[in-house]
Amino acid sequence: MSDAPKPTLAPVIAVDGPSGVGKGTLCQRLADRLGWHLLDSGALYRLTALAALNREVALDDEAELAAVAAGLEVEFVASRDQPPRILLAGMEVGVELRGETCAAAASRVAALPAVRAALLQRQRDFRQAPGLIADGRDMGTVVFPDAGLKLFLNASAEERAMRRYKQLREKGLDANLMSLVEEINARDSRDAGRAVAPLQSAADAEVLDTTSLSIAEVCDWALRLAARRFDFPKIA
Ligand code: C5P
């Protein structure tokens, strides 16, 4: 047995919760504020789904989908105050990834254990100094069970659908509130009901219902907890 000291792992803030709850915005702001790296794990499931759709791989062919996930040629190009640009095999795919077709396909491929296993190490590789903000469904329970701070956000399905509706309308896109509520409910029950890594808060997570909170209030809450948990210069 070697007595060599173990390298210290970079700290992680795990942020989990259902679709449309505001994790993405919170994580982007935390990463900017703290100067930490960002993992958008949902994008990896969306990328797997997009690559599978492009190659006409059936969304229930677990072995083939796991091979697609393992072989993803993806690049996240970080930029301050903006979501990272996402390249799949050198092509910019950010807009396609955010569409409902990709979202629904992602939640189907994400239910397959072999796909989740194929993406596990790729997610852990994002853990680099000075720290990582990890956004997903199972960050605190499966991918980074030793995260120094675990946050779990929630909000009613109606409120989450309304936020998505406003976002789409602001972009000048057509949107139907009722079908957004239905889509969110369908995705929630698939994500929470699957056998492997279901959406659930870790036992040691700090839970916040954001239904009636602004993004600034949610950020303040998260920064206050982070300042208490980690030893960095005053940030909140
Ligand atoms: O977070 P986002 O909406 O981009 O995630 C897309 C889908 O990927 C989710 O509906 C969920 O099924 C899946 N996902 C997951 N585990 C994660 C992140 C996302 O199963 N850590």
Side-chain angles (χ1 to χ4, degrees), residues 19 23 40-43 45-46 98 103 106-107 110 116 123 136-139 187 191 194:
S19 309
K23 298 180 304 273
D40 173 3
S41 62
Y45 290 96
R46 287 173 187 257
R98 301 263 60 94
S107 106
R116 302 197 76 84
Q123 295 173 82
R137 305 289 188 291
D138 59 344
M139 299 296 97
R187 208 130 72 85
D191 290 351
R194 68 185 173 219

Side-chain angles (χ1 to χ4, degrees), residues 13-19 21-23 26-27 30 134-142 147 149-156 160 188 191-192 194 197-211 213 218 221-222 225 229:
I13 300 180
V15 183
D16 291 305
S19 309
V21 76
K23 298 180 304 273
L26 171 65
C27 288
L30 288 177
D135 168 349
R137 305 289 188 291
D138 59 344
M139 299 296 97
T141 49
V142 175
L149 178 61
K150 299 180 185 178
L151 308 177
F152 190 91
L153 303 187
N154 222 330
S156 70
R160 289 182 283 132
D188 279 0
D191 290 351
R194 68 185 173 219
L199 169 68
Q200 62 185 25
S201 72
D204 50 350
E206 307 281 346
V207 180
L208 184 69
D209 187 325
T210 71
T211 304
L213 298 179
V218 179
W221 169 79
L225 288 170
R229 202 64 60 90

